[in-house]
């Protein structure tokens, strides 16, 4: 299978956190099975180039940033942000087509997005809109994890709130009851994914939330609204309202605390994934202990997922044709696969027609 058949190419993918590029650091990262080097030029511009010199394939990430350009430190060829070679030490004539691939790169929300498809289709307006990431009323800490698993296994995991109860009983979930007594209010099928809303009424606060509040035993009405979007973006709006005050009817209940969570799954290869995330809170935002506690709790929760997801990948590696049987709770993830497949097919057809 060529990678064109595995990945959606015409899409923005998160390639790095902007903070990874401070102090002139270069990030060498494989994305969609392509080695890429990402750096910030002197003008502040973020550049993403193929991490292979077109001359003798030395990694450009071993090179030197000069202004906004990058010099290969093997034989000294210099490349501008467009990827075009602009200097060959000892050779005057530079063939106009000589260079490396450049990826359109856009910095937003403290994240670096790159476009892996046809350059003329790279429209920054297609980058997902998630205002909490840019709003000072929310506080969080950027996170990164590496998974030895196909990104769709992570998508599956996040698509399914039922696993909160069993995998995360002592961290994010709270009780096995969550699996039995909550039902998605509605699974809304979107062109590019799905949206699901789930309420859990009059429950004890789950452990991660308890750790950062004082009224630890007061029951809460918990609402999760999750959106999973192509190619692998999960956005989760969580609300904990004091129980029984009508939050489910849209009443703004005093003492409500909220979280906003964004997670970006970027395929490294077909069996490994870069996972960028931030978990934001809207209360006590000036108390760093709370931000840190949430960061640790979420990481602890993700590690529980990682163990299962990476073990699943091993099962698929051993037997790629193993057949799965769906249950009703799988409807959202089936829809997501269908939406992604549609996009990939359209892309393939457009390429075949061209
Ligand atoms: S390998 Fe880069 S200049 Fe020779
Ligand atoms: Fe999980």
């Amino acid at each position: 299978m060529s990678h064109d058949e595995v990945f959606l190419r015409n899409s923005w993918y998160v390639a790095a956190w902007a903070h990874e590029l401070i102090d002139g650091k270069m990030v060498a990262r494989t994305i969609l099975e392509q080695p890429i080097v990402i750096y910030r030029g002197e003008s502040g511009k973020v550049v993403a180039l193929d991490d292979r010199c077109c001359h003798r394939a030395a990694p450009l990430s071993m090179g030197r940033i000069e202004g906004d350009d990058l010099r290969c430190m093997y034989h000294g060829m210099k490349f501008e942000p467009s990827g075009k070679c602009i200097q060959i030490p000892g050779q005057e004539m530079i063939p106009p087509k000589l260079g490396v691939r450049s990826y359109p790169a856009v910095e937003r929300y403290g994240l670096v997005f790159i476009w892996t498809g046809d350059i003329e289709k790279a429209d920054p307006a297609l980058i997902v809109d998630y205002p909490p990431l840019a709003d000072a009323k929310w506080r969080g800490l950027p996170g990164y994890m590496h998974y030895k698993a196909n990104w769709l296994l992570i998508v599956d995991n996040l698509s399914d709130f039922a696993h909160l109860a069993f995998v995360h009983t002592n961290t994010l979930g709270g009780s096995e009851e969550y699996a039995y007594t909550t039902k998605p209010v509605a699974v809304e099928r979107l062109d590019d994914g799905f949206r699901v809303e789930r309420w859990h009424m009059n429950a004890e606060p789950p452990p991660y939330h308890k750790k950062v509040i004082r009224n630890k035993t007061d029951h809460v009405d918990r609402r999760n609204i999750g959106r999973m979007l192509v190619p692998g973006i999960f956005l989760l709006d969580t609300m904990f309202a004091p129980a029984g005050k009508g939050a489910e009817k849209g009443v703004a209940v005093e003492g409500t605390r909220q979280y906003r969570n964004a997670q970006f799954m970027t395929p490294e290869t077909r069996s490994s994934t870069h996972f960028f995330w931030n978990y934001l809170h809207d209360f006590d935002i000036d108390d760093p202990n709370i931000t840190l506690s949430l960061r640790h709790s979420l990481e602890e929760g993700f590690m529980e997922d990682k163990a299962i997801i990476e073990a699943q990948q091993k099962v698929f590696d051993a037997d790629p044709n193993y057949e799965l049987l769906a249950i009703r709770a799988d409807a959202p993830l089936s829809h997501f696969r269908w939406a992604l497949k549609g996009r990939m097919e359209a892309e393939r057809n457009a390429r075949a027609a061209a």
Side-chain angles (χ1 to χ4, degrees):
M1 243 195 305
S2 86
H3 55 247
D4 285 341
E5 289 157 356
V6 179
F7 307 117
L8 181 69
R9 315 291 298 180
N10 282 322
S11 184
W12 291 101
Y13 287 92
V14 170
W17 280 106
H19 72 75
E20 296 181 276
L21 305 177
I22 58 171
D23 272 349
K25 285 205 185 66
M26 280 182 264
V27 171
R29 190 160 278 160
T30 296
I31 290 169
L32 274 52
E33 299 185 349
Q34 303 294 308
I36 296 175
V37 56
I38 305 146
Y39 66 93
R40 186 187 296 285
E42 250 158 49
S43 73
K45 180 186 173 60
V46 174
V47 182
L49 297 176
D50 196 359
D51 193 14
R52 290 171 294 195
C53 182
C54 57
H55 176 223
R56 305 291 300 161
L60 292 179
S61 52
M62 295 173 76
R64 184 168 72 202
I65 301 169
E66 295 183 6
D68 283 353
D69 308 323
L70 188 54
R71 187 185 296 281
C72 176
M73 290 304 275
Y74 199 172
H75 311 94
M77 284 169 60
K78 185 157 133 174
F79 302 91
E80 62 172 24
S82 73
K84 189 176 166 345
C85 177
I86 50 170
Q87 193 181 51
I88 307 175
Q91 176 178 329
E92 237 127 82
M93 221 296 282
I94 303 170
K97 288 225 170 94
L98 192 74
V100 295
R101 175 169 180 189
S102 165
Y103 294 83
V106 173
E107 202 174 343
R108 189 166 299 168
Y109 309 132
L111 290 158
V112 176
F113 290 83
I114 65 163
W115 179 265
T116 49
D118 309 321
I119 288 205
E120 68 282 2
K121 298 200 173 103
D123 177 2
L126 298 173
I127 293 175
V128 72
D129 195 25
Y130 198 56
L133 284 170
D135 185 342
K137 104 186 232 288
W138 299 94
R139 185 61 49 86
L141 277 170
Y144 171 87
M145 277 171 64
H146 182 266
Y147 279 73
K148 288 194 193 105
N150 181 282
W151 87 102
L152 289 171
L153 292 177
I154 310 174
V155 167
D156 293 349
N157 168 271
L158 295 166
S159 300
D160 138 45
F161 288 119
H163 87 280
L164 278 174
F166 294 98
V167 180
H168 305 303
T169 321
N170 301 311
T171 53
L172 311 178
S175 66
E176 293 194 6
E177 180 213 41
Y178 188 83
Y180 298 103
T181 62
T182 75
K183 282 197 181 60
V185 171
V187 179
E188 201 183 316
R189 288 155 197 260
L190 312 171
D191 277 352
D192 57 348
F194 64 84
R195 176 191 183 279
V196 69
E197 184 169 340
R198 201 167 182 129
W199 283 86
H200 190 196
M201 308 304 286
N202 193 27
E204 244 194 80
Y208 82 99
H209 184 54
K210 233 184 225 179
K211 279 187 196 160
V212 294
I213 56 173
R214 254 171 244 194
N215 46 335
K216 298 183 192 302
T217 51
D218 295 356
H219 277 202
V220 288
D221 292 336
R222 177 183 194 175
R223 186 212 61 196
N224 274 327
I225 297 176
R227 273 184 297 153
M228 181 66 78
L229 306 172
V230 167
I233 300 170
F234 184 58
L235 305 169
L236 180 65
D237 298 359
T238 299
M239 181 176 83
F240 290 101
K245 300 264 163 59
E248 76 283 10
K249 293 183 210 107
V251 178
V253 181
E254 165 111 32
T256 294
R257 295 181 178 91
Q258 301 216 48
Y259 299 106
R260 292 292 179 271
N261 181 203
Q263 308 181 11
F264 299 88
M265 278 70 74
T266 301
E268 176 183 52
T269 66
R270 65 197 71 192
S271 56
S272 58
T273 302
H274 303 292
F275 182 74
F276 302 87
W277 61 281
N278 203 337
Y279 198 79
L280 308 153
H281 57 105
D282 77 339
F283 55 93
D284 299 328
I285 61 170
D286 292 321
D287 182 347
N289 291 328
I290 289 190
T291 314
L292 210 53
S293 170
L294 290 164
R295 162 71 190 265
H296 289 153
S297 292
L298 266 287
E299 224 152 28
E300 196 185 357
F302 292 152
M303 291 308 283
E304 293 169 329
D305 289 318
K306 196 173 190 280
I308 286 206
I309 295 169
E310 292 187 342
Q312 272 181 297
Q313 181 66 47
K314 285 190 188 145
V315 174
F316 286 116
D317 287 344
D319 182 0
N321 298 319
Y322 184 69
E323 228 178 284
L324 307 175
L325 301 176
I327 60 172
R328 199 179 303 149
D330 298 334
L333 71 90
S334 305
H335 176 74
F336 183 83
R337 300 251 172 162
W338 176 85
L340 180 65
K341 209 169 139 225
R343 290 279 185 106
M344 287 172 61
E345 254 162 37
E347 192 172 294
R348 215 157 27 238
N349 295 339
R351 194 161 289 132

